[in-house]
């Protein structure tokens, strides 16, 4: 068995599939630009591919596909992306970005705010538009108290974010499969926090994989709340694998709905390939190029 880690979620792939899962050699075939329509700006998360490639070669490969961005990089890697013609579309702050220990607990605020205050100016300089944050695990806390605490914490960082033009994106995650006890596991919860803060630089990271697991009704939520969403993640349900016939969402329709709202941010692919990684990524990019 092969085990992969996504921050604190673990994916296991059977040994029988290993042969088919090995990446194709970079440069073995002519680079093919995948994006043709470009209504949506697409990106791809680095973590599902880091066991297959070194970051510079992966950046070159996705740039050849037509992508202009890469997701979920630490500050130390932003320059590598930039040197390959890419922007980091979602960055990690220097500290405080722990999924269980989020904004819902006041005890976490100092470290979260400190990490964002330190990283936001660097993000502005490197043209990184977004930094990630998390709501945190419940640990018995009521939603009402959690919402109040999240608003307090985000209000401490909103002015710095606004002054530097960098958006703090708080991620919605499922608590059913991957992130047990996570409090920001419903769109309504996250939207209440974001609407209460009321800042153009504090918004949601809508991970569609997670919200499909928790609530479905993806397109209606997007249409009705797109102004509060700064970033989207993809991933096939079930399993967080390819956006293909093995899973349940019509991604072309979802992406068309996102594009129809006039969305100017990034849709970042965050699925764990079970086949050749670059082939799976090309197929996903083409599917979402609506």
């Amino acid at each position: 068995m092969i085990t992969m880690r996504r921050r604190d979620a673990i994916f296991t792939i059977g040994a029988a599939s290993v042969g088919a899962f090995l990446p194709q050699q970079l440069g073995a075939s002519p680079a093919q630009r995948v994006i043709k329509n470009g209504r949506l700006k697409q990106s791809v998360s680095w973590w599902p591919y880091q066991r297959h490639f070194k970051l510079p070669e992966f950046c070159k490969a996705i740039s050849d596909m037509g992508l202009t961005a890469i997701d979920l990089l630490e500050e130390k890697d932003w320059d590598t992306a930039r040197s390959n013609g890419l922007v980091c579309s979602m960055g990690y702050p220097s500290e405080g970005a722990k999924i269980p220990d989020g904004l819902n607990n006041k005890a976490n605020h100092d470290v979260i705010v400190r990490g964002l205050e330190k990283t936001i100016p660097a993000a502005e300089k490197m043209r990184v538009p977004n930094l990630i944050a998390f709501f945190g695990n419940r640990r018995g806390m009521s939603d009402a108290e959690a919402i109040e605490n999240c608003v307090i914490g985000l209000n401490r960082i909103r002015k710095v974010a606004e002054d530097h033009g960098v958006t703090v994106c708080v991620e919605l995650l499922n608590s059913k499969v991957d992130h047990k006890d996570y409090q920001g596991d419903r769109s309504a919860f996250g939207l209440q926090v974001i609407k209460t803060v009321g800042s153009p630089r504090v918004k949601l990271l809508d991970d569609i994989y997670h919200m499909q697991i928790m609530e479905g009704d993806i397109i209606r939520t997007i249409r009705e709340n797109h102004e509060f969403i700064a970033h989207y993640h993809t991933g096939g349900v079930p399993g967080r694998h390819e956006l293909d016939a093995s899973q349940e969402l019509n991604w072309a329709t979802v992406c068309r709905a996102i594009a129809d709202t006039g969305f100017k941010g990034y849709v970042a692919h965050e699925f764990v390939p079970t086949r050749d990684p670059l082939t799976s990524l090309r197929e996903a990019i083409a599917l979402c190029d609506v």
Side-chain angles (χ1 to χ4, degrees), residues 26-285:
L26 295 176
S29 60
Q32 295 182 347
R33 183 177 177 86
V34 181
I35 293 179
K36 295 178 172 56
N37 297 318
R39 289 183 70 205
L40 289 177
K41 294 191 296 184
Q42 295 188 55
S43 179
V44 57
S45 295
W46 164 230
W47 68 266
Y49 300 88
Q50 60 188 13
R51 66 182 295 270
H52 302 290
F53 307 108
K54 294 180 179 179
L55 183 58
E57 64 178 352
F58 184 66
C59 286
K60 182 181 184 307
I62 66 175
S63 179
D64 287 344
M65 294 180 198
L67 293 187
T68 59
I70 184 170
D71 227 50
L72 295 175
L73 294 181
E74 296 178 3
E75 184 180 348
K76 64 181 178 62
D77 294 320
W78 294 353
D79 192 58
T80 300
R82 189 174 183 178
S83 66
N84 284 276
L86 304 171
V87 66
C88 174
S89 48
M90 179 68 65
Y92 285 111
S94 62
E95 58 181 325
K98 294 183 178 180
I99 291 173
D101 303 320
L103 289 153
N104 63 344
N105 189 331
K106 290 180 183 178
N108 301 326
H109 286 184
D110 284 350
V111 66
I112 294 171
V113 170
R114 184 170 64 242
L116 287 167
E117 285 180 337
K118 179 180 178 182
T119 314
I120 283 172
E124 179 189 26
K125 181 179 179 181
M126 294 294 288
R127 298 183 180 179
V128 174
N130 306 301
L131 294 176
I132 198 167
F134 301 101
F135 289 112
N137 285 8
R138 286 180 177 84
R139 299 186 174 103
M141 184 179 294
S142 71
D143 280 358
E145 181 181 359
I147 288 167
E148 180 180 354
N149 290 346
C150 289
V151 170
I152 290 170
L154 290 166
N155 276 335
R156 289 180 57 182
I157 199 62
R158 61 176 290 172
K159 186 177 187 305
V160 176
E162 290 167 1
D163 288 347
H164 290 274
V166 175
T167 302
V168 176
C169 295
V170 196
E171 187 169 18
L172 297 167
L173 301 169
N174 84 75
S175 61
K176 182 179 179 181
V177 178
D178 301 297
H179 301 285
K180 301 293 185 180
D181 200 45
Y182 189 74
Q183 194 144 28
D185 62 351
R186 300 278 179 169
S187 297
F189 177 94
L191 287 165
Q192 188 168 343
V193 171
I194 300 306
K195 289 177 181 180
T196 304
V197 174
S199 170
R201 292 300 175 185
V202 177
K203 295 196 176 186
L204 288 177
L205 193 175
D206 185 358
D207 192 310
I208 297 171
Y209 159 78
H210 289 290
M211 290 302 95
Q212 173 67 3
I213 289 173
M214 294 304 298
E215 61 190 30
D217 204 17
I218 297 299
I219 291 176
R220 185 194 305 270
T221 300
I222 289 168
R223 287 173 175 167
E224 294 182 353
N225 302 286
H226 60 89
E227 64 187 292
F228 306 106
I229 301 168
H231 199 78
Y232 293 93
H233 278 167
T234 75
V237 179
R240 194 168 205 129
H241 297 308
E242 282 87 349
L243 313 186
D244 59 18
S246 69
Q247 56 84 60
E248 62 194 33
L249 276 174
N250 185 329
W251 281 97
T253 303
V254 170
C255 286
R256 194 171 295 111
I258 295 172
D260 287 346
T261 68
F263 181 66
K264 301 302 181 186
Y266 288 93
V267 175
H269 297 293
E270 195 187 18
F271 61 85
V272 179
T274 61
R275 299 180 276 106
D276 175 79
L278 294 185
T279 299
S280 291
L281 180 57
R282 285 190 186 95
E283 291 173 355
I285 294 169

